């Protein structure tokens, strides 16, 4: 896989360089609530612009249905990119149309432009190879070289991620190079003890990675909504907690394999429960009680791991040489149910080993809860991509860069 340093060494002065970034930031109306992904691509964009390239930045945002939708415009992200770069950033109001062509043609060396949301064009996400290829050809006409730096999208077989690199000299940006290097530390020659903490809502989202980790990790800590399927698999009452009943047999088999393989599988010993889900808009105080994990009332829902579990998980993370964490321990968006996620994040901060926060809600939680990002070994920008890499899958965007 060639890197951006090789491109820079060859010289980019006056060349049009297409940077596939991940500017898929959360928005509250037109206000960006977390600019982490924009900041993550800054080193690549700045290095190219400083070297005199005409930088064309492109990304998706959200899930528009193949047509323009103002709610998913990249205009706020383009404005924020300009603020962080400290220079004007031009914005094209389409992807490959008149605005994009005129905007790119108007760039001089060292200038940056952002194209409108790639997913406003149906060719970006098309299942049909020919339709994707046609869109990729149009994008290729806007550039002389391609730099892949949108790690959060490399697990998608999309035109700008998979098809476009084949049509231009292609290189990995600094973010992707860093992300791949970190993931190799989690899969090749891992320093032990290797502890993985998994949370989030659905156990089905994590089954494939658990399957792989049962042969690699020394210890698995389970929290979040997915924990209740594990507790059900132990025969416990889980009340009205989030439960994937159809996955109980699979989880039971995984629990047996963990024991057979000598992998320590750690489940909650107590949980915070309530009869109602908290109001995440007003953050009104919640009414809850703490019960043992085997004593959840039939009419109540588990919403966070309890204080005894927080202490237990912190102790299980303390001696780790390598930690990977993906998924919150509870409904961290509400202050009354953020304690479990905060405890795991703090345990990573306190650990002496190499700690990786696996993107997605975990990364959002770290920022929401006020942790210093530099206190972690690495915070990934792609939760889904990280998990699929750990599952052993071939990621289309990385495969395209390696050709």
């Amino acid at each position: 896989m060639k890197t951006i340093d090789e491109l820079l060494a060859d010289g980019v002065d006056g060349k049009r360089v297409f940077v596939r970034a991940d500017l898929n930031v959360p928005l509250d109306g037109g206000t960006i609530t977390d600019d982490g992904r924009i900041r993550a691509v800054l080193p690549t964009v700045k290095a190219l612009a400083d070297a005199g390239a005409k930088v064309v930045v492109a990304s998706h945002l959200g899930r528009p249905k193949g047509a323009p939708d103002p709610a998913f415009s990249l205009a706020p992200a383009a404005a924020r990119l300009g603020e962080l770069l400290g220079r004007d950033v031009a914005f094209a109001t389409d992807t490959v149309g008149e605005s994009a062509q005129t905007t790119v043609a108007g760039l001089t060396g060292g200038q940056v432009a952002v194209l409108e949301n790639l997913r406003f064009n149906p060719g970006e996400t098309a299942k049909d190879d020919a339709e994707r290829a046609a869109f990729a050809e149009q994008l290729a006409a806007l550039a002389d070289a391609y730099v892949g730096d949108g790690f959060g999208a490399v697990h998608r077989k999309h035109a700008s991620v998979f098809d476009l690199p084949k049509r231009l000299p292609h290189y990995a940006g600094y973010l992707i190079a860093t992300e791949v290097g970190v993931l190799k530390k989690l899969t090749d020659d891992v320093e032990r003890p290797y502890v993985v903490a998994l949370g989030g809502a659905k156990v089905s989202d994590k089954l494939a990675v658990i399957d792989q980790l049962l042969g690699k990790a020394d210890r698995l800590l389970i929290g979040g909504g997915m924990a209740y399927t594990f507790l059900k698999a132990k025969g416990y009452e889980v009340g009205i907690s989030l439960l994937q009943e159809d996955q109980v047999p699979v989880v039971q088999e995984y629990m047996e394999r963990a024991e057979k393989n000598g992998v320590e599988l750690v489940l909650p010993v107590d949980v915070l429960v309530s009869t109602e889900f908290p109001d995440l808009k007003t953050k009104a105080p919640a009414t809850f009680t703490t019960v043992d994990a085997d004593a959840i009332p039939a009419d109540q829902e588990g919403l966070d791991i309890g204080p005894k579990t927080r202490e237990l998980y912190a102790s299980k993370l303390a001696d780790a040489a390598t930690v990977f964490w993906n998924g919150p321990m509870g409904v961290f968006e509400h202050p009354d149910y953020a304690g479990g996620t905060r405890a795991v994040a703090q345990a990573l901060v306190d650990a002496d080993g190499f700690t990786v926060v696996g993107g997605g809600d975990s990364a959002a939680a770290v920022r929401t809860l006020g942790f210093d990002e530099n206190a972690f070994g690495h915070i990934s920008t792609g939760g889904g991509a990280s998990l699929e890499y750990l599952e052993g899958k071939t990621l289309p965007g990385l495969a395209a860069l390696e050709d």
Side-chain angles (χ1 to χ4, degrees):
M1 185 185 293
K2 292 183 179 179
T3 69
I4 184 176
D5 284 333
E6 294 173 79
L7 173 61
L8 291 168
D10 290 339
V12 294
D13 190 24
K15 290 185 178 179
R16 301 169 302 163
V17 181
F18 188 103
V19 177
R20 200 334 178 159
D22 180 7
L23 308 181
N24 185 28
V25 292
L27 294 171
D28 182 4
T31 303
I32 296 171
T33 58
D34 182 354
D35 66 0
R37 284 176 170 163
I38 300 175
R39 286 185 286 110
V41 78
L42 284 178
T44 290
V45 174
K46 188 175 186 305
L48 290 167
D50 287 349
K54 302 173 182 178
V55 187
V56 182
V57 181
S59 176
H60 69 287
L61 191 151
R63 297 178 183 271
K65 302 187 183 300
D69 183 339
F72 297 105
S73 175
L74 275 172
R80 182 59 179 152
L81 177 63
E83 291 172 0
L84 292 169
L85 284 172
R87 65 181 80 195
D88 291 336
V89 168
F91 181 65
T93 57
D94 57 26
T95 56
V96 291
E98 182 178 350
S99 179
Q101 294 172 35
T102 301
T103 301
V104 173
L107 292 176
T108 59
Q111 292 187 325
V112 180
V114 173
L115 304 182
E116 184 54 283
N117 192 337
L118 291 167
R119 291 184 182 175
F120 285 0
N121 190 305
E124 170 68 0
T125 58
K127 301 293 185 186
D128 181 74
D129 291 348
E131 188 177 355
R132 280 200 327 276
F135 183 47
E137 290 286 353
Q138 292 177 293
L139 291 171
L142 299 173
D144 304 305
Y146 175 95
V147 172
D149 217 29
F151 180 73
V154 294
H155 59 315
R156 306 296 187 192
K157 193 176 182 181
H158 291 170
S160 66
V161 176
F162 179 73
D163 303 89
L164 180 56
K166 299 178 179 181
R167 289 161 170 78
L168 294 169
H170 46 269
Y171 307 83
Y174 291 126
L175 174 62
I176 279 187
T178 297
E179 294 273 15
V180 172
V182 166
L183 288 169
K184 286 183 177 178
K185 287 186 178 182
L186 299 177
T187 53
D188 304 332
D189 300 321
V190 181
E191 289 192 35
R192 299 184 180 279
Y194 178 21
V195 184
V196 177
L198 296 176
K202 295 182 179 180
V203 69
S204 56
D205 293 342
K206 303 292 196 315
L207 286 177
V209 74
I210 293 172
D211 183 52
Q212 288 291 316
L213 290 170
L214 287 175
K216 295 178 179 177
D218 297 301
R219 195 176 296 148
L220 282 174
L221 314 181
I222 306 295
M226 62 184 286
Y228 302 100
T229 301
F230 278 84
L231 295 176
K232 183 71 172 180
K234 289 191 71 172
Y236 295 171
E237 169 67 58
V238 296
I240 57 172
S241 304
L242 192 60
L243 171 67
Q244 289 185 278
E245 189 87 45
D246 61 323
Q247 301 299 332
V248 169
V250 180
V251 168
Q252 288 174 327
E253 191 268 329
Y254 282 4
M255 292 166 73
E256 292 170 3
R257 274 178 53 200
E259 185 174 0
K260 181 179 178 181
N261 293 351
V263 177
E264 186 180 3
L265 183 61
V266 189
L267 301 179
V269 293
D270 63 341
V271 296
L272 272 57
V273 298
S274 178
T275 56
E276 58 185 12
F277 197 82
D279 188 328
L280 300 183
K281 288 187 177 181
T282 66
K283 304 290 196 297
T287 301
F288 63 88
T289 55
T290 302
V291 300
D292 288 342
D294 61 355
I296 298 174
D299 64 342
Q300 300 200 33
E301 175 180 14
L303 295 164
D304 193 15
I305 57 173
K308 288 188 290 187
T309 305
R310 297 169 196 175
E311 290 184 14
L312 173 65
Y313 284 12
S315 71
K316 297 295 184 181
L317 290 161
D319 67 342
T322 305
V323 179
F324 175 72
W325 168 38
N326 180 280
M329 297 291 109
V331 187
F332 76 92
E333 300 90 342
H334 192 283
D336 289 335
Y337 300 117
T341 302
R342 184 185 299 278
V344 168
Q346 186 62 54
L348 264 68
V349 171
D350 295 340
D352 291 329
F354 179 59
T355 57
V356 179
V357 180
D361 285 343
S362 309
V366 163
R367 299 184 182 107
T368 299
L369 298 175
F371 284 91
D372 179 359
E373 294 180 41
N374 295 320
F376 302 88
H378 179 69
I379 298 179
S380 177
T381 57
S386 295
L387 287 176
E388 290 199 16
Y389 189 100
L390 294 180
E391 289 169 20
K393 289 184 178 180
T394 297
L395 306 188
L398 296 185
L401 291 176
E402 289 170 351
D403 288 345

